[in-house]
């Protein structure tokens, strides 16, 4: 088997915010690789650090420690102007709320054309042709080009957001909860669109989601995050069939099953409380306050990620 090419690499990345007593660790020693052409998903409740990581890869959040690489080149910290431009050109983001992320006073042509103009890719008729092509690529039509965002449905607006991200021909896209603000009936359409684009354009995705309900099929691998750290990572099918971390098990128990008999018999694991404050966290496992299996060791030692099966890693003292 040929070795897969790593497109993005995170090595021991730490991201902190605030200072002194208010300082908190939003991302705590996170490492992972994203291979060319795959979808790697980060899943966790709000405040788990997943969006902060996505923004750090795009250089929108500085990192406090560790390193980030794109195509083998370091892109964190101080880098050359050329490398900075390479990241802006090749790495894009699709946002959660398509309405908030589109300027209401701009037409679709101007929204999609903005990146084309900034990077001087096309002008005149070529520019308009490219905008029409992009609209068709995302399932809209050239008639939509002169309209404003408020004239579209939520699903259509997200398609405009996708076209805007594709305008400068990126290789890597951070999809930051791109479907969670949409109706359930529309979610699958946007996921299918992203999958088709990935196949046709050879894109690589970092897909961010707050639960496990919609990421099974789009993901090749999934990392579950809790309070700034990865607690479990595995190929998608393996994570759904054999979740090992108590937090992953709780997230999975909340995913509805289409078969009503199985759904009725399923036991939902209710997690008490919210994600605790990341300011001055207690020593030991970050999940201890909400974990039904917690033992004395969990208060003393922080569990590290261990490979329990090929490519399946978990950070829990009780998983042996
Ligand atoms: Fe629960 Fe302990 Fe495992 Fe943490 S290490 S998830 S507290 S059993």
């Amino acid at each position: 088997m040929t070795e897969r090419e790593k497109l993005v690499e995170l090595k021991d990345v730490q991201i902190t915010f605030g200072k002194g007593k208010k300082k908190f660790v939003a991302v705590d020693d996170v490492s992972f690789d994203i291979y060319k052409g795959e979808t790697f998903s980060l899943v966790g409740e709000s405040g788990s650090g997943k969006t902060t990581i996505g923004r750090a890869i795009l250089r929108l959040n500085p990192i406090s420690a560790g390193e980030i690489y794109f195509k083998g080149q370091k892109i964190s910290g101080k880098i050359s102007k050329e490398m900075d431009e390479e990241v802006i050109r090749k790495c894009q983001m699709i946002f959660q709320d398509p309405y908030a992320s589109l300027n209401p006073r701009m037409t679709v042509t101007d929204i999609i054309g903005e990146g084309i103009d900034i990077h001087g890719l096309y002008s005149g008729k070529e520019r308009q042709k490219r905008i029409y092509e992009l609209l068709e690529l995302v399932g809209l039509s050239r008639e939509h080009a002169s309209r404003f965002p408020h004239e579209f449905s939520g699903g259509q607006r997200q398609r405009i957001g996708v076209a805007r991200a594709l305008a400068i021909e990126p290789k890597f896209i951070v999809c930051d909860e791109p479907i969670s603000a949409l109706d359930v009936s529309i979610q699958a359409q946007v996921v299918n669109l992203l999958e088709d684009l990935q196949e046709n354009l050879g894109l690589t995705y970092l897909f961010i989601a707050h639960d496990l309900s919609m990421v099974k099929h789009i993901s090749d691998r999934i990392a579950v995050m809790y309070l700034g750290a990865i607690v479990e990572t595995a190929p998608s099918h393996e994570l759904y069939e054999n979740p090992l971390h108590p937090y992953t098990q709780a997230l999975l128990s909340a995913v509805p099953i289409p078969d009503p008999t199985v759904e009725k018999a399923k036991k939902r694991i209710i997690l008490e409380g919210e994600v605790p404050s990341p300011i001055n966290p207690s020593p030991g496992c970050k999940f201890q306050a909400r974990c039904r299996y917690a033992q004395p060791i969990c208060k003393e030692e922080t569990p590290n990620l261990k490979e329990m099966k090929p490519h399946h890693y978990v950070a829990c003292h009780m998983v042996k």
Side-chain angles (χ1 to χ4, degrees):
M1 202 169 112
T2 51
E3 194 163 314
R4 292 187 298 165
E5 190 185 328
K6 289 176 190 172
L7 191 69
V8 177
E9 295 166 72
L10 270 74
K11 293 186 196 299
D12 306 320
V13 168
Q14 193 181 71
I15 301 172
T16 56
F17 293 112
K19 281 188 181 153
K21 281 187 181 161
K22 291 206 169 139
K23 175 176 155 181
F24 74 89
V25 180
V27 174
D28 194 4
D29 228 1
V30 163
S31 301
F32 59 78
D33 301 326
I34 305 177
Y35 297 97
K36 198 174 165 195
E38 79 164 342
T39 299
F40 182 78
S41 293
L42 287 177
V43 176
E45 287 159 293
S46 131
S48 59
K50 52 201 192 309
T51 298
T52 308
I53 290 178
R55 291 175 56 84
I57 298 171
L58 302 187
R59 296 182 54 78
L60 300 171
N61 277 341
I63 66 173
S64 322
E67 282 157 352
I68 303 178
Y69 293 82
F70 180 69
K71 291 206 300 197
Q73 306 258 20
K74 188 163 167 276
I75 57 165
S76 54
K78 250 190 162 274
I79 58 171
S80 66
K81 198 164 165 265
E82 291 74 36
M83 207 53 221
D84 195 28
E85 277 165 13
E86 168 88 352
V87 175
I88 296 169
R89 270 293 307 274
K90 299 287 186 242
C91 307
Q92 285 289 303
M93 191 152 183
I94 299 170
F95 298 90
Q96 177 178 4
D97 183 345
Y99 198 61
S101 71
L102 302 176
N103 186 332
R105 282 184 282 277
M106 285 167 78
T107 63
V108 169
T109 287
D110 292 337
I111 290 169
I112 299 176
E114 204 174 20
I116 296 176
D117 299 341
I118 290 170
H119 297 280
L121 300 180
Y122 301 96
S123 59
K125 280 189 183 156
E126 286 294 306
R127 175 184 186 266
Q128 198 58 53
K129 189 169 156 249
R130 175 73 183 139
I131 290 166
Y132 291 154
E133 265 172 23
L134 285 159
L135 284 172
E136 277 156 25
L137 198 60
V138 300
L140 295 170
S141 69
R142 56 176 60 201
E143 284 77 50
H144 292 122
S146 56
R147 298 193 196 161
F148 290 89
H150 74 267
E151 298 177 67
F152 295 90
S153 67
Q156 287 175 320
R157 282 198 284 262
Q158 195 52 293
R159 287 174 193 267
I160 298 167
V162 174
R164 175 180 57 184
L166 295 176
I168 57 170
E169 295 156 32
K171 289 286 164 220
F172 173 69
I173 300 183
V174 175
C175 306
D176 186 11
E177 303 213 32
I179 53 170
S180 46
L182 303 176
D183 286 352
V184 176
S185 57
I186 308 295
Q187 289 182 340
Q189 292 176 16
V190 174
V191 166
N192 290 343
L193 170 69
L194 291 171
E195 284 184 321
D196 289 347
L197 292 170
Q198 179 170 50
E199 202 176 314
N200 297 335
L201 305 175
L203 298 168
T204 303
Y205 294 144
L206 172 64
F207 197 95
I208 294 171
H210 63 266
D211 63 31
L212 284 163
S213 62
M214 282 302 287
V215 289
K216 183 175 184 180
H217 299 294
I218 197 170
S219 311
D220 293 288
R221 291 180 302 132
I222 298 175
V224 177
M225 289 195 71
Y226 189 80
L227 219 58
I230 292 178
V231 297
E232 182 162 12
T233 177
S236 175
H237 61 90
E238 165 69 11
L239 191 91
Y240 279 79
E241 276 157 33
N242 191 21
L244 296 176
H245 196 280
Y247 179 57
T248 313
Q249 290 169 354
L251 286 181
L252 261 181
S253 81
V255 175
I257 297 170
D259 182 330
T261 321
V262 182
E263 174 65 19
K264 217 171 161 199
K266 187 183 78 179
K267 277 210 178 96
R268 171 111 195 245
I269 304 166
I270 307 285
L271 283 180
E272 303 290 337
E274 297 291 314
V275 180
S277 163
I279 301 172
N280 297 322
S282 330
C285 175
K286 293 180 181 192
F287 190 58
Q288 58 180 276
R290 299 169 85 191
C291 182
R292 54 197 186 135
Y293 302 112
Q295 298 294 317
I297 187 177
C298 307
K299 286 191 178 358
E300 288 151 23
E301 281 178 35
T302 305
N304 294 318
L305 280 171
K306 285 178 295 194
E307 190 170 21
M308 306 310 295
K309 290 167 89 178
H311 312 294
H312 189 163
Y313 295 80
V314 64
C316 173
H317 293 305
M318 295 301 124
V319 177
K320 312 255 187 226

